[in-house]
Amino acid sequence: MKTLLTCVFPAVIISITALLAWSGLTTGHNWGDDFSAYIMQAKSITEGRPLAFIDANRFTIERSSFPIGPVAYPWGFPALLAPIYALFETNMIALKSVGVVCFLLFLFLLWTGFRKYHSDFWRLVLLCLFAINPALLRFMDNILSDIPFLLVSTFSVLLIGRLVIERRQLISPVCDQLLLGAVIAAAFFIRFNGILLLITLGLTQFIVLIGSVYGPDATHRQFLAGLKRLFSTKGAAARYLGLNILPYVSFVSFVLAWQALLPESDNRIANGIHVFSMGGVWIAIIKHNLHYYIDLPAAFFDGAPDTYLLYGASIPLAVTGAISRSRSDYHIIVYFILTFLLYILHSISMYGDFPYTFFDWPPTNGLRFLFPILPFYMSFVLLSLEKYEVGVVEPERLLRKGICILPILLVLLYFGKESVRHAFGNLARHRANLSGPFVETSISMFSFIKNNTPAESTVVFFKPRLMRMMTGRRSLMINNIGELSDGAYVCLYQRDGASSDQISPDGVEILTKRGAIKTVYKNQDFVIYQDKVP
């Protein structure tokens, strides 16, 4: 039975996840514009022309009605996509496989890395909650950096606990610290939010130092005496400081190396992270975001009945679990708080010199921003349930275990049902998207632009990076007629969902009456106008 729990069951569960994730992949993509920027960055790596990408993308970002993203995303995820792009180009299923592989590795890390926190049974429950989670499996159909970041950030947090708090040796004291810095650098290379891991490391080291100096029962007056005891031997202070500074040396070395190989745009603070100014942050928006992000983890239970009831029940369990582990796993709590603060305070943002408010922020798929803290949140929840059944004798223990397991089993049954239904539904549609840039009408529109417009043309479109990826034309997002001087062609999406990012119907009517544009192409979903007709 022990072998089944520790080897066979996890392997079977991860294999099932691989099958479900692969079955849920479509041959297209949604209208999200970020994925096209990642692919073009990957393409620029394979061609050895990353500067050309930055120059082309800067035109799109800086001349659109408002910045739609950074001039360049962190290069870590494009670097992962690059070898796949080199082999398969824009094959969506091949490119999405990067996220699937990273998710499977994350599940393996979940099983092996949380061994000290849970018994085998409850660790298996934790694994299942992520492995067959319909929200996470549906997310596999996106080409985004969130899943790779989830993998590396989780590994970083677990390493901080092992090496800094528990002081366990994996390779050697020096190599362990260098490895820790390298893993945090990898997280930072994928998403600039990874800098929070470095801050978490520093705060954790400080707490460990204070604990070593004071001891559990010491008073503040004994600080100097405790410090003297800690560094009583000759050279102890230098060795201590030298060892603890190694992760930062490793981190900086890797960051400098990647910046030497791959250019950064001139956005002054790493463009993927939203920079906020306390003087410009509105209290009302902070309150709105606070409410939004507190409610957001409920989406983790999507696919189960009474989603908000389940999430509401999980909150006191998570708090109880966090409190019970606060003395040994305070680094997790620190990272948890820093992640929440980042997203709560970033509504008024800027990319370089272009301040703007996120008109549609927070996004509808915002759960992905909280992916890095979900493993620890659910671990805290399960720890409370696990502790509830400990310390009592049979048959009360059996009764308590049944009370704890029954709702979890129901959730897992619903998760499994929804995930299987989604996978079979996708296969029944032959992996086809119902809408997006890869359906017939979109492909036809892109083909017209590619074959019937001059190579130096500029096309106004609500997803300009995607337009550039699909056609090779320069593209802008313009949402008012006063800024149309830069666009030779205007392509309008006729379905819902693009109204705020393109010229309004009233604007089109005004331009038509002026004789400033004429229709050159039309299908069920798109109309293309030529701007500035002689």
Side-chain angles (χ1 to χ4, degrees), residues 72-129:
Y73 286 111
W75 288 93
F77 184 52
L80 292 175
L81 293 175
I84 307 300
Y85 182 88
L87 293 173
F88 302 100
E89 295 190 341
T90 55
N91 183 303
M92 290 293 109
I93 291 181
L95 292 168
K96 291 170 185 177
S97 68
V98 173
V100 173
V101 170
C102 287
F103 187 63
L104 298 178
L105 291 174
F106 162 73
L107 294 178
F108 178 76
L109 179 64
L110 203 64
W111 176 252
T112 56
F114 284 73
R115 182 178 289 110
K116 81 159 195 167
Y117 300 127
H118 304 285
S119 65
D120 290 341
F121 173 81
W122 286 101
R123 198 155 42 108
L124 198 65
V125 171
L126 178 66
L127 178 66
C128 289
L129 284 171

Side-chain angles (χ1 to χ4, degrees), residues 153-360:
S153 66
T154 303
F155 187 36
S156 299
V157 173
L158 292 175
L159 270 183
I160 292 173
R162 297 292 194 275
L163 302 180
V164 180
I165 297 178
E166 299 173 30
R167 301 179 186 178
R168 288 168 52 183
Q169 184 173 307
L170 300 179
I171 306 170
S172 71
V174 172
C175 290
D176 288 350
Q177 298 302 316
L178 293 174
L179 172 64
L180 178 57
V183 174
I184 294 175
F188 185 65
F189 193 32
I190 295 172
R191 288 181 71 90
F192 285 116
N193 297 14
I195 197 66
L196 299 182
L197 293 162
L198 202 65
I199 299 172
T200 300
L201 172 62
L203 292 174
T204 302
Q205 289 175 330
F206 177 74
I207 295 171
V208 168
L209 175 62
I210 295 300
S212 300
V213 170
Y214 276 95
D217 302 316
T219 66
H220 67 280
R221 295 179 180 178
Q222 297 172 297
F223 178 78
L224 291 178
L227 201 61
K228 186 176 180 180
R229 283 196 308 273
L230 183 64
F231 304 130
S232 57
T233 60
K234 185 178 180 180
R239 287 194 299 272
Y240 182 88
L241 293 175
L243 198 62
N244 281 275
I245 207 171
L246 280 179
Y248 306 97
V249 173
S250 176
F251 175 86
V252 171
S253 299
F254 276 100
V255 169
L256 291 177
W258 117 48
Q259 288 186 338
L261 293 171
L262 293 167
E264 293 295 320
S265 67
D266 57 7
N267 294 65
R268 280 170 297 180
I269 273 226
N271 5 175
I273 193 168
H274 300 296
V275 185
F276 51 84
S277 165
M278 289 307 294
V281 177
W282 300 342
I283 299 300
I285 296 181
I286 291 178
K287 289 180 178 178
H288 173 265
N289 270 11
L290 181 63
H291 184 270
Y292 174 82
Y293 281 106
I294 288 176
D295 285 348
L296 189 55
F300 179 83
F301 298 99
D302 188 28
D306 300 318
T307 296
Y308 279 93
L309 179 62
L310 284 170
Y311 173 53
S314 75
I315 293 175
L317 294 174
V319 171
T320 303
I323 291 172
S324 68
R325 276 168 45 184
S326 60
R327 287 185 175 272
S328 61
D329 295 305
Y330 41 84
H331 64 299
I332 295 176
I333 298 172
V334 168
Y335 184 55
F336 202 104
I337 293 171
L338 289 174
T339 300
F340 252 99
L341 285 176
L342 173 67
Y343 289 115
I344 289 170
L345 297 176
H346 79 339
S347 285
I348 307 300
S349 310
M350 62 170 59
Y351 287 108
D353 297 322
F354 297 91
Y356 68 98
T357 302
F358 277 99
F359 300 109
D360 58 350

